[in-house]
Amino acid sequence: MADRSFLDWPFFEDRHRAFAADLETWAEQTAAVDLHGDHDLDGDCRTILKALADGGWLRKAVPDADGKLDVRTLCLTRETLARRSGLADFVFAMQGLGSGPISLFGTLEQKTRWLPDVASGAVIAAFALSEPEAGSDVAALSTTARADGDGWVLDGTKTFISNGGLADRYTVFARTGGAEGARGISAFVVDAETPGFDVVERIPLMAPHPLATIRFDGCRIDGDRILGAPGEGFRIAMATLDVFRSTVAAAALGFARRALDEAATRASTRRLFGAPMSDLQLVQASLAEMALKVDASALLIYRAAWLKDQGAPRVTREAAMAKLYATDEAQVVIDQAVQLFGGLGVVSGHPVERLYREIRALRIYEGASEVQKIVIARQLLGAVAGGR
């Protein structure tokens, strides 16, 4: 059982503690949450989605009745699911991220029109930002959307799109007008069955998750499918990532907690040189380092989430710190767990072997670790310049 004492920290309210306990109990009883997509990736994703929807958990991926996204709840959900299955975490996360721009910037009509079927699991959502030549450098994207009568026509290619080929609805970022860089980007909502939309290829990953390259070729959508005003797409994308980067860190934390639990159990039950493995000081030192990284990650994550829930307009610095530290250090924690398991740790399908494959992508998507360092430095330097 993973350590739950962090729930006593002042970042949380009683409703968060009750939610975490209920989700933990449900996850223990629901076999679908343990699926990993090894044999039928799309089928497993749909099974997990249905289980999350039936349990009512997908409602937490969209705003509540007051129109708010509770980031602490998003983080608690991802952490809890990630401890059991990277795929279960992925399915929940993409419902939130894929509809995040609608949740944060959609009109009341757009939210009413598109969010209920995300919360019910009737629609699978996706976030289409990355391109072959525009990954970390979002402002360099080249997909276009030109005004055409009362609608828009999209042309271009997106790649490394999570839920690509599986999603029913995509939030797509494209260049509109003549402005260069970040100022010329807008956000749109595109249904998968729209003529001119095509899935070019599915991309297999070391840890199975649905990923694809998609293409728009004369893809015409109605004018009411733009989010915000033309040219606001970059701001919409960055504000959405501002919220969901903390949740990526929470998923990494879930992986790290599982690795620490597995390693501690192994060290306590495995005998080595005539004594419990846990008697070895080197093993104790390794476990101590792992526990330290887990707690430090949790502090950064729930600080960022708490600040956002308190009404901070942006938590760019805090979310970047949480994602950078939690994902990088989870990689270290999991590697140490593999080492403590020895040969068993690299056997295909073993929990720590799965974690070893699952964690690597989190240090890249939604802003690679190197990008987070740039973000943090710019925030720091901007604050210094503003104080002069």
Side-chain angles (χ1 to χ4, degrees), residues 144 146 148 152-156 194-197 215-221:
T144 61
R146 60 179 173 83
D148 181 48
W152 299 86
V153 177
L154 278 67
D155 290 282
T194 307
F197 171 88
R215 181 171 56 212
F216 304 92
D217 185 5
C219 180
R220 193 182 193 286
I221 58 175

Side-chain angles (χ1 to χ4, degrees), residues 19 36 48 55 108 150 167 206 209 228 308 320 350:
F19 171 82
H36 296 278
I48 292 169
L108 178 60
D150 60 353
M206 60 195 294
H209 295 83
K308 188 63 180 175
H350 190 278

Side-chain angles (χ1 to χ4, degrees), residues 1-39:
M1 181 68 176
D3 174 34
R4 309 301 284 166
S5 62
F6 74 98
L7 288 167
D8 294 328
W9 294 351
F11 295 125
F12 301 103
E13 301 168 24
D14 286 343
R15 62 187 177 89
H16 294 112
R17 299 180 182 101
F19 171 82
D22 289 345
L23 179 58
E24 184 74 29
T25 299
W26 177 85
E28 289 176 355
Q29 299 171 349
T30 306
V33 179
D34 293 319
L35 296 174
H36 296 278
D38 294 322
H39 304 294

Side-chain angles (χ1 to χ4, degrees), residues 200-238:
V200 177
E201 65 172 341
R202 297 291 292 269
I203 304 172
L205 297 181
M206 60 195 294
H209 295 83
L211 202 73
T213 298
I214 60 177
R215 181 171 56 212
F216 304 92
D217 185 5
C219 180
R220 193 182 193 286
I221 58 175
D222 293 338
D224 61 359
R225 286 180 168 264
I226 188 170
L227 296 172
E232 291 186 342
F234 184 83
R235 181 173 71 90
I236 290 172
M238 293 303 103

Side-chain angles (χ1 to χ4, degrees), residues 43-68:
D44 284 352
C45 285
R46 294 186 186 279
T47 298
I48 292 169
L49 184 78
K50 185 178 186 306
L52 290 170
D54 290 347
W57 308 110
L58 289 184
R59 291 198 296 270
K60 301 302 181 181
V62 300
D64 60 21
D66 295 326
K68 292 181 60 178

Side-chain angles (χ1 to χ4, degrees), residues 21-376:
D22 289 345
L23 179 58
E24 184 74 29
T25 299
W26 177 85
E28 289 176 355
Q29 299 171 349
T30 306
V33 179
D34 293 319
L35 296 174
H36 296 278
D38 294 322
H39 304 294
D40 179 9
L41 177 57
D42 288 3
D44 284 352
C45 285
R46 294 186 186 279
T47 298
I48 292 169
L49 184 78
K50 185 178 186 306
L52 290 170
D54 290 347
W57 308 110
L58 289 184
R59 291 198 296 270
K60 301 302 181 181
V62 300
D64 60 21
D66 295 326
K68 292 181 60 178
L69 272 174
D70 191 276
V71 186
R72 285 168 292 177
T73 298
L74 289 171
C75 288
L76 286 169
T77 305
R78 292 201 65 178
E79 179 186 338
T80 301
L81 293 175
R83 278 193 286 109
R84 304 188 71 89
S85 163
L87 193 60
D89 162 65
F90 170 89
V91 170
F92 173 82
M94 286 312 304
Q95 289 297 93
L97 178 63
S99 62
I102 304 170
S103 298
L104 297 172
F105 293 94
T107 64
L108 178 60
E109 188 278 331
Q110 289 173 330
K111 292 177 182 179
T112 303
R113 178 181 176 188
W114 289 320
L115 293 181
D117 53 13
V118 172
S120 71
V123 160
I124 299 175
F127 185 84
L129 181 63
S130 298
E131 297 185 0
E133 300 300 326
S136 296
D137 184 7
V138 174
L141 67 80
S142 60
T143 294
T144 61
R146 60 179 173 83
D148 181 48
D150 60 353
W152 299 86
V153 177
L154 278 67
D155 290 282
T157 300
K158 299 284 184 180
T159 194
F160 291 112
I161 304 305
S162 294
N163 269 350
L166 183 66
D168 304 294
R169 185 179 299 143
Y170 296 75
T171 300
V172 180
F173 296 85
R175 188 164 298 285
T176 53
E180 297 182 356
R183 294 176 299 168
I185 298 172
S186 302
F188 302 89
V189 177
V190 182
D191 290 338
E193 70 269 16
T194 307
F197 171 88
D198 184 39
V199 177
V200 177
E201 65 172 341
R202 297 291 292 269
I203 304 172
L205 297 181
M206 60 195 294
H209 295 83
L211 202 73
T213 298
I214 60 177
R215 181 171 56 212
F216 304 92
D217 185 5
C219 180
R220 193 182 193 286
I221 58 175
D222 293 338
D224 61 359
R225 286 180 168 264
I226 188 170
L227 296 172
E232 291 186 342
F234 184 83
R235 181 173 71 90
I236 290 172
M238 293 303 103
T240 303
L241 293 176
D242 222 31
V243 170
F244 285 93
R245 275 177 177 159
S246 296
T247 79
V248 178
L253 175 61
F255 292 153
R257 284 199 198 278
R258 176 66 181 274
L260 177 58
D261 289 349
E262 294 285 345
T265 300
R266 172 71 168 177
S268 299
T269 57
R270 170 76 165 169
R271 294 186 65 81
L272 203 61
F273 306 117
M277 189 177 176
S278 56
D279 284 356
L280 296 174
Q281 290 184 339
L282 281 174
V283 172
Q284 293 176 8
S286 183
L287 292 172
E289 291 170 359
M290 294 163 74
L292 175 61
K293 294 177 190 300
V294 165
D295 271 18
S297 295
L299 285 164
L300 286 169
I301 292 163
Y302 290 109
R303 175 188 70 162
W306 177 82
L307 280 171
K308 188 63 180 175
D309 287 341
Q310 296 310 300
R314 296 296 298 268
V315 288
T316 303
R317 174 177 175 269
E318 293 83 1
M321 284 184 169
K323 183 181 186 297
L324 171 64
Y325 187 86
T327 57
D328 279 2
E329 297 308 317
Q331 180 91 59
V332 176
V333 169
I334 293 166
D335 186 73
Q336 288 177 301
V338 170
Q339 195 71 18
L340 288 173
F341 270 89
L344 191 59
V346 293
V347 172
S348 180
H350 190 278
V352 296
E353 183 271 340
R354 284 190 182 278
L355 291 168
Y356 194 82
R357 288 185 285 114
E358 288 282 3
I359 187 55
R360 193 60 186 87
L362 274 65
R363 296 173 60 204
I364 297 172
Y365 73 71
E366 290 189 41
S369 293
E370 293 75 15
V371 171
Q372 303 312 314
K373 292 177 182 178
I374 293 171
V375 170
I376 294 166

